[in-house]
Every structure is written in C-alpha cells, then in structure tokens.
Amino acid sequence: MPRIIVTGGSGKAGQVVINELLQAGHSVLNLDLLPSSNPAITTLKTDLTDAGQVFSALSGQFAFSEPFPPGLPPKPDAIIHLAGYSRNMIAPDTETFRVNTTSTYNVIEAACKLGIRKIIIASSVTVYGVTYANGNIDYPSFPIDEEIDVNPTDTYAIAKLCGERVARGFASRFNADIYVFRIGRVVDPDEYDSEMFRSYVNEPAKWKVHGWSYTDSRDLGRMCDSAIKKDGLGFQVFNATNDTITNFGNTMAFLKEVCPRVPFTREMGEVEAPLTNRKMKDLLGFVEEHPWKRYYKTS
Ligand SMILES: NC(=O)c1ccc[n+]([C@@H]2O[C@H](COP(=O)([O-])OP(=O)(O)OC[C@H]3O[C@@H](n4cnc5c(N)ncnc54)[C@H](O)[C@@H]3O)[C@@H](O)[C@H]2O)c1
C-alpha cells in the first residue's frame, strides 16, 4: 500500500484530500499543528517551519503501533504539501511570508535529501496576480495557463511563487518529480449551495478575482492521486482546477464581454474554465468527477 505524507491534512482541503487518498487505497500520515477531525488519521503535531521537526517526521514511523515494526521505517512514496496560511490577512504579511516559504523549503529539502521521489506542492492561482492586486487589473491573456509569465504583487502569492522556484531548483538538483499545483478557490461539497457559488453564477462579472474557475476539494484529492501515479515528469506546474467556467455563459463570449482588451492565445472550449486545467488532463490523465452543475440548484 503506497505511503503518502500529507501536510496540512487537518485543514479545509487536506481533510477531503486525505479521504480521497484513503479511498484510492493509499495509507496516509498527516503532519499538522492541529489534530485532524478524523480520528482514523494519524496526525503528527509538526511545526513545518522547524527543519529539524520536518526531517524527523519524514524519516520516522508512519503509524502508531505497539510495538513498532522491526528495522528502520520504510520511506514514504510521496509527500503532498498543503500546510500554511491559505490567503493574505490571516497573519501579518511578514508572518505569512515566513511560514509559507520556510515550510515549503523545509519540506522540499528534507524530502529530496531523504530520497522521497514524488513531491506535490500546493501553490495557488493567485500567482497570476489578479486576486490580490491593488485594484482591478486584467489577466495578460486567455486561457490563463501555465505558460503565462507570473508577476504577483501581494505577499501570499509571492510566497507561493518562491515555493515554486525552490521546487524547480530542487527537482533539477535531485532529479526528483516535483509537481506544483496552482489550486483555484477550493469548493467543498456543501459550498455549491453557498452565497459565494450563487454569486459566481448570478453575478459573474464580480468574479475575475477567482478567474471564473474553482477546484472541487474531492477532485483535488483525485488530482493528487493522478500525480502520485504518474512518474518521470520532473518539475511541472499544473493549474489544479475543474473543467468548466463557473457560470452559464459561453467561455469566449463571456470573457470578450468582461475583459474586452485581453487577447486569446488559442480557441477555448465552449464552457472551458478560464484557468484551464488542460495540462493536468493531458499529462496526468485527470478526469473530473465533480462538475459544479451536478450539485448547483437553480431554483
Ligand atoms: N482554500 C483555498 O481556496 C485555496 C486556494 C488555493 C490554494 N490553496 C492552498 O491549499 C493549501 C490548503 O488550503 P486550505 O484551504 O486547506 O487551508 P487551511 O487553512 O484550511 O489549512 C491549512 C492547514 O495548515 C496547517 N498549518 C499551518 N501552518 C503550519 C505549520 N507551520 N506547520 C504545520 N501545519 C501548519 C494548519 O493547521 C491547517 O490545518 C494551502 O497551501 C493554500 O494556500 C487554498
């Protein structure tokens, strides 16, 4: 059974991601400051900003038992790093930057040096620079894909970008597979009935900040599973989003209306998400299971 370490597994995305990994047949160890709401999950209370704790946790026992199995604990097969501040304004900018960059650096360095061959890092679509810009700015082009040069100005997204650069350098130095997931706004199953999702649909002009795209938390878990199963791609950046735009418009017609000055670099699918996941589908073979229209109630 593949052994997967998840960091931040007690958080919003992490809890659902872990459920999906368990359903896919993996065994999971959670590293987090907080306990998991799922008592079946072993959570090691780990401060990932402390490199010693990270090295110890990544090379230690995988589960609690009495006695422990004989010999040295086997190496985990993969690590999925989700922990950190999940947006600006939870902590002062200096703290967001310190925690997010240090924890990502520590996880990547320890995993590479311990010979863990697959590392998945949570980045964010905020690196495209629009979400936390000072004021209303446009995306450089549509679709918003991984080829776009990213120049965010806010602390959270800059810290994510720093993590992406560490990933790139270490993947090359250690010949490891490090896949960066630029995650969209995470939507839990009960959020399809939320005020926010209703506004996505009914007031779409407001939602440039989320790129008129989303990430179902269960599908995020399945994206992680696809990444675990696909070896040999080295360093890669993927938009980790669902397939379709978050309103009932035709994608190109809608984008031309709300962003008339932004050019297109290719023809887009009729309802393709502006933050396109085409690369994730092509390279990792990801197939969406939770399209929003299946859950959204129109009346
Ligand atoms: N929620 C979203 O919409 C969204 C969108 C894009 C990207 N992301 C990214 O996805 C990841 C998960 O997001 P989330 O919404 O589940 O966040 P969350 O805040 O719900 O969970 C984060 C978890 O990380 C843990 N953590 C924080 N600092 C830690 C430390 N120093 N050591 C160990 N654990 C620590 C927290 O205790 C928490 O359980 C984050 O990296 C976030 O930036 C989230």
Side-chain angles (χ1 to χ4, degrees):
M1 195 185 272
R3 290 181 169 78
I4 314 298
I5 290 186
V6 175
T7 78
S10 307
K12 177 183 179 179
Q15 298 189 50
V16 182
V17 165
I18 288 177
N19 274 343
E20 294 292 322
L21 295 174
L22 295 175
Q23 278 176 38
H26 303 290
S27 57
V28 174
L29 171 65
N30 176 30
L31 310 184
D32 202 301
L33 289 170
L34 302 174
S36 167
S37 59
N38 180 350
I41 302 297
T42 306
T43 300
L44 271 191
K45 184 182 170 193
T46 312
D47 184 349
L48 297 162
T49 64
D50 179 329
Q53 292 191 37
V54 177
F55 268 88
S56 177
L58 266 56
S59 54
Q61 296 291 350
F62 201 77
F64 180 71
S65 67
E66 297 173 309
F68 285 121
L72 289 174
K75 245 182 350 202
D77 297 286
I79 177 154
I80 299 170
H81 173 52
L82 304 173
Y85 289 111
S86 57
R87 60 171 171 80
N88 289 302
M89 296 298 290
I90 297 171
D93 284 353
T94 46
E95 183 66 358
T96 303
F97 190 79
R98 182 188 73 82
V99 168
N100 286 9
T101 55
T102 310
S103 60
T104 302
Y105 180 86
N106 287 344
V107 166
I108 293 174
E109 178 181 328
C112 285
K113 289 189 173 169
L114 293 168
I116 299 170
R117 308 295 303 152
K118 176 71 56 68
I119 305 167
I120 298 157
I121 298 291
S123 182
S124 162
V125 298
T126 59
V127 298
Y128 293 109
V130 170
T131 320
Y132 297 119
N134 282 11
N136 177 15
I137 65 163
D138 272 334
Y139 293 99
S141 52
F142 293 125
I144 310 151
D145 64 18
E146 301 84 349
E147 298 301 310
I148 287 178
D149 184 33
V150 285
N151 296 292
T153 52
D154 66 285
T155 297
Y156 170 76
I158 290 171
K160 288 294 190 194
L161 201 50
C162 290
E164 294 192 7
R165 295 311 298 250
V166 175
R168 181 166 155 183
F170 274 67
S172 168
R173 178 166 146 205
F174 288 88
N175 198 22
D177 286 342
I178 311 188
Y179 303 165
V180 166
F181 278 12
R182 289 183 181 160
I183 301 169
R185 173 59 161 78
V186 174
V187 176
D188 271 342
D190 62 359
E191 285 185 293
Y192 291 104
D193 206 19
S194 66
E195 208 174 299
M196 183 193 74
F197 216 98
R198 298 208 162 275
S199 178
Y200 278 178
V201 176
N202 298 320
E203 308 168 291
K206 279 189 178 174
W207 290 103
K208 186 197 279 185
V209 285
H210 289 184
W212 308 280
S213 306
Y214 73 107
T215 303
D216 179 280
S217 49
R218 297 159 294 184
D219 274 331
L220 179 60
R222 298 177 56 262
M223 291 174 205
C224 291
D225 182 48
S226 305
I228 290 165
K229 288 176 174 146
K230 181 73 185 178
D231 294 333
L233 299 180
F235 172 72
Q236 294 291 340
V237 176
F238 297 99
N239 282 347
T241 48
N242 278 68
D243 291 6
T244 58
I245 190 166
T246 50
N247 58 60
F248 286 110
N250 166 288
T251 297
M252 288 185 74
F254 172 74
L255 293 175
K256 281 175 189 165
E257 190 188 314
V258 288
C259 300
R261 285 178 301 280
V262 179
F264 285 83
T265 53
R266 66 163 166 81
E267 282 293 305
M268 295 186 67
E270 210 174 307
V271 292
E272 183 174 355
L275 285 156
T276 181
N277 67 359
R278 185 187 268 194
K279 182 178 175 186
M280 166 83 67
K281 287 162 50 159
D282 287 351
L283 264 65
L284 299 184
F286 167 69
V287 180
E288 170 187 84
E289 244 182 36
H290 300 288
W292 67 269
K293 286 176 191 155
R294 179 183 298 167
Y295 305 104
Y296 186 77
K297 295 185 190 74
T298 39
S299 56

